[in-house]
Amino acid sequence: MPEVILDALVPDATAPEVFDRLRDFAAYPQYTDAVREVTVTDKGGDVLDSDWSVNFRNGILCWSERDRIDADTLTIDFVQTDGDFDQFEGSWKVEPGQDTVTVRFTAVFDLGMPSLAAIIDPIACDALVEAIGLILRGLLGERITLTQPKAIPMAAAAGDA
């Protein structure tokens, strides 16, 4: 499956502030046009269900996911439960640093088109990196620094095995 890893370095912020902004999914559309709509249902404890509608290239992707929020480790894990991907799962991890806070987004996904994977997966990886970058800049400000993303299309990952 394709994998995407993207780090953002956030200056002049604390890890709890950044984590609180990331975990407030319902507010995402207020901060970025990349996210059209998010509906959140609190399942109790550290579990949420969320429904997403996101601009993705020249279209819209929609999915539902189960989110596990761990405020102690500043981590959010998500797994798609329904939607446009065959599979979509990953995490957000916030780590305090000396001068900056690091936010790491990781995801693996399957678009469910194995015969076209060699063509579509690299495009989907690039689009996901672009969308997450827009979301992070909207949520955390233009002063963040996005590191060189690691985007591994399935075809490339299979060749490395």
Side-chain angles (χ1 to χ4, degrees), residues 75-144:
T75 304
I76 302 168
D77 295 312
F78 62 89
V79 176
Q80 176 187 274
T81 56
D82 188 39
D84 290 339
F85 296 95
D86 265 13
Q87 182 176 352
F88 181 48
E89 61 186 74
S91 66
W92 295 91
K93 173 73 176 154
V94 176
E95 296 186 23
Q98 191 168 15
D99 297 322
T100 61
V101 173
T102 301
V103 176
R104 172 164 280 187
F105 171 82
T106 62
V108 294
F109 63 91
D110 182 356
L111 295 172
M113 295 179 263
S115 63
L116 298 175
I119 297 167
I120 293 176
D121 286 353
I123 296 167
C125 284
D126 289 346
L128 184 57
V129 165
E130 181 181 339
I132 295 301
L134 290 170
I135 289 168
L136 286 168
R137 287 194 188 285
L139 289 174
L140 303 172
E142 290 295 325
R143 294 186 56 223
I144 69 169

Side-chain angles (χ1 to χ4, degrees), residues 28-107:
Y28 279 34
Q30 297 171 25
Y31 297 105
T32 178
D33 292 336
V35 179
R36 298 169 68 90
E37 183 179 16
V38 182
T39 304
V40 176
T41 305
D42 188 343
K43 302 306 276 184
D46 61 353
V47 178
L48 304 172
D49 283 346
S50 54
D51 298 313
W52 295 77
S53 175
V54 176
N55 294 322
F56 199 76
R57 288 284 185 196
N58 294 323
I60 301 169
L61 282 177
C62 299
W63 71 91
S64 299
E65 66 184 41
R66 170 75 36 102
D67 305 292
R68 296 197 184 282
I69 313 287
D70 187 335
D72 293 333
T73 63
L74 302 177
T75 304
I76 302 168
D77 295 312
F78 62 89
V79 176
Q80 176 187 274
T81 56
D82 188 39
D84 290 339
F85 296 95
D86 265 13
Q87 182 176 352
F88 181 48
E89 61 186 74
S91 66
W92 295 91
K93 173 73 176 154
V94 176
E95 296 186 23
Q98 191 168 15
D99 297 322
T100 61
V101 173
T102 301
V103 176
R104 172 164 280 187
F105 171 82
T106 62

